[in-house]
Amino acid sequence: MSHLSRRDLLKLIAASTALGSSQSVADSDNRVEAARFSERISLSQWCFHRAIFGNSRDNYSQFIKTLHQSPDDVLLGRLDPRDITKLSRQLGVDRVDLVNILFFGHAEDKPWLDDFKLRAKDNGVSFQLLMCDETGAIGASNAKARQQAIDNHKPWFEAAAYLGCKQIRVNAYGDGTYLQQLHQCAESLAVLASIGNDYGIEVLVENHGNASNNGAWLAMLIELTNHPNLGVFTDLDNFFMGGWGLNPERRYDRVQGLIDLAPYTRGVSVKSHDFDASGRETTLDYPKLLQIFQNAGFNGLYSAEFEGEHMSELSGTTATIRYIESALMANAG
């Protein structure tokens, strides 16, 4: 996608959307029925991170350094981060989940944010959630480091409120034993949840690395913090014990993890990697997994997040949305 011009990318949207509709699990005769389930779906800006970043993440350590020193210099792709509003509208989704590192230099840039808000209004979409990364370790063993992480989140609370977001996602990163991290993260989360209260924004923790990829640990963290403005943004696939990229890979059982987290879930990240010819995700059984949340009484949004490398970001995102719709239809039937 990053090799396309922005004009070509936007021209492809309508055609790709139509193609995705005809090739999805829900065939064209079911589109009217599926449309009513689209109200339960949001679109993650991360679906198009390659089109936005280009090749800037190829050297990841340099990417992180540049992100903090000169954040706009990592935006080497052809897609403006604000164009997610056009893509969302064309894909038939009216709520967008934002990712702070895709516009890392603009948290306090009111003219830029004003333009983003205007584009959203013009396209009839709104912002639901802001995911915060690279803001420090809220579970650090050092108290000053924990306070710095809290302070680093404050501009993003302000930006989220300014853009009209309803939720903000944070990471429960820290050091020490699982028990130490549990208490350190809980201390910081109580503060962040109270800050969120002041802005009318829910604070959600994602299973997004290290201790938080243990479903039981994250469930205990929410219970220990015990704040009414705190919940979980549950990712269907982030259950890599000890972090990503380990060999051999170690995982917390996915189904057990979702059962652990479902009672605390206030948003779901519906990850996808690849799809077969019938439109089913090849690694995740959406109907089975989403039923866990429905059984727990979840009535929030399912955020489409395509991560695959074997399809274009546009085709993969379209397929993800269609499969979520079909799963919700199947579970309702």
Side-chain angles (χ1 to χ4, degrees), residues 18-329:
L19 179 62
S21 297
S22 64
Q23 293 180 338
S24 65
V25 174
D27 61 33
S28 58
D29 291 338
N30 290 330
R31 289 303 304 139
V32 173
E33 174 67 9
R36 71 186 179 94
F37 292 98
S38 66
E39 297 178 359
R40 300 291 307 280
I41 299 172
S42 58
L43 174 66
S44 174
Q45 191 181 23
W46 191 251
C47 290
F48 297 95
H49 68 273
R50 294 182 182 89
I52 294 170
F53 285 139
N55 63 0
S56 66
R57 295 173 77 241
D58 289 354
N59 182 334
Y60 194 71
S61 61
Q62 184 60 47
F63 167 80
I64 293 299
K65 181 179 179 180
T66 304
L67 181 72
H68 286 280
Q69 293 180 346
S70 182
D72 279 357
D73 287 345
V74 303
L75 305 177
L76 300 183
R78 298 285 189 175
L79 187 69
D80 187 301
R82 292 166 290 189
D83 281 339
I84 190 65
T85 56
K86 296 179 183 178
L87 289 161
S88 186
R89 179 72 279 148
Q90 292 290 343
L91 289 165
V93 178
D94 61 11
R95 278 172 285 198
V96 174
D97 297 323
L98 302 174
V99 183
N100 71 332
I101 63 171
L102 294 173
F103 56 105
F104 205 62
H106 300 283
E108 299 174 281
D109 184 349
K110 288 298 192 293
W112 194 95
L113 296 175
D114 282 337
D115 181 72
F116 205 2
K117 288 171 65 174
L118 181 60
R119 295 186 193 205
K121 181 179 179 181
D122 288 346
N123 286 285
V125 302
S126 60
F127 301 119
Q128 175 68 22
L129 175 142
L130 173 63
M131 304 181 198
C132 287
D133 293 310
E134 291 301 313
T135 46
I138 66 170
S141 57
N142 182 283
K144 289 184 177 179
R146 292 199 301 275
Q147 183 58 53
Q148 184 61 59
I150 290 170
D151 291 342
N152 290 345
H153 282 85
K154 290 177 180 177
W156 291 110
F157 273 104
E158 182 73 28
Y162 194 71
L163 290 170
C165 294
K166 308 296 189 298
Q167 300 167 318
I168 198 165
R169 185 276 272 150
V170 303
N171 293 311
Y173 295 161
D175 61 89
T177 67
Y178 267 24
L179 184 59
Q180 290 168 333
Q181 291 182 60
L182 193 71
H183 286 279
Q184 289 154 192
C185 285
E187 177 185 298
S188 297
L189 284 172
V191 176
L192 291 172
S194 294
I195 294 172
N197 236 8
D198 294 339
Y199 285 103
I201 294 175
E202 284 187 321
V203 176
L204 308 185
V205 184
E206 184 178 357
N207 50 319
H208 196 232
N210 302 315
S212 72
N213 281 4
N214 181 308
W217 183 91
L218 183 50
M220 284 190 288
L221 175 60
I222 302 303
E223 290 195 357
L224 178 62
T225 309
N226 192 27
H227 196 292
N229 197 42
L230 182 69
V232 177
F233 185 63
T234 303
D235 189 293
L236 297 187
D237 198 41
N238 285 346
F239 292 102
F240 300 90
M241 295 292 290
W244 294 276
L246 295 183
N247 189 13
E249 182 181 276
R250 294 184 296 118
R251 280 179 174 265
Y252 191 88
D253 183 79
R254 177 186 289 121
V255 171
Q256 183 60 55
L258 298 181
I259 292 172
D260 292 341
L261 298 177
Y264 314 98
T265 295
R266 302 188 188 182
V268 179
S269 176
V270 185
K271 189 72 63 66
S272 63
H273 302 280
D274 204 0
F275 292 85
D276 63 23
S278 68
R280 292 183 178 275
E281 216 283 336
T282 58
T283 61
L284 297 163
D285 184 344
Y286 283 13
K288 175 184 176 181
L289 300 180
L290 300 193
Q291 188 68 58
I292 294 170
F293 299 104
Q294 291 171 271
N295 291 346
F298 174 70
N299 60 0
L301 296 180
Y302 296 94
S303 179
E305 183 185 346
F306 177 68
E307 281 274 11
E309 299 180 356
H310 303 299
M311 304 171 68
S312 72
E313 289 180 317
L314 192 57
S315 296
T317 301
T318 301
T320 305
I321 292 168
R322 298 295 170 254
Y323 193 27
I324 297 172
E325 290 174 344
S326 72
L328 295 176
M329 288 175 62

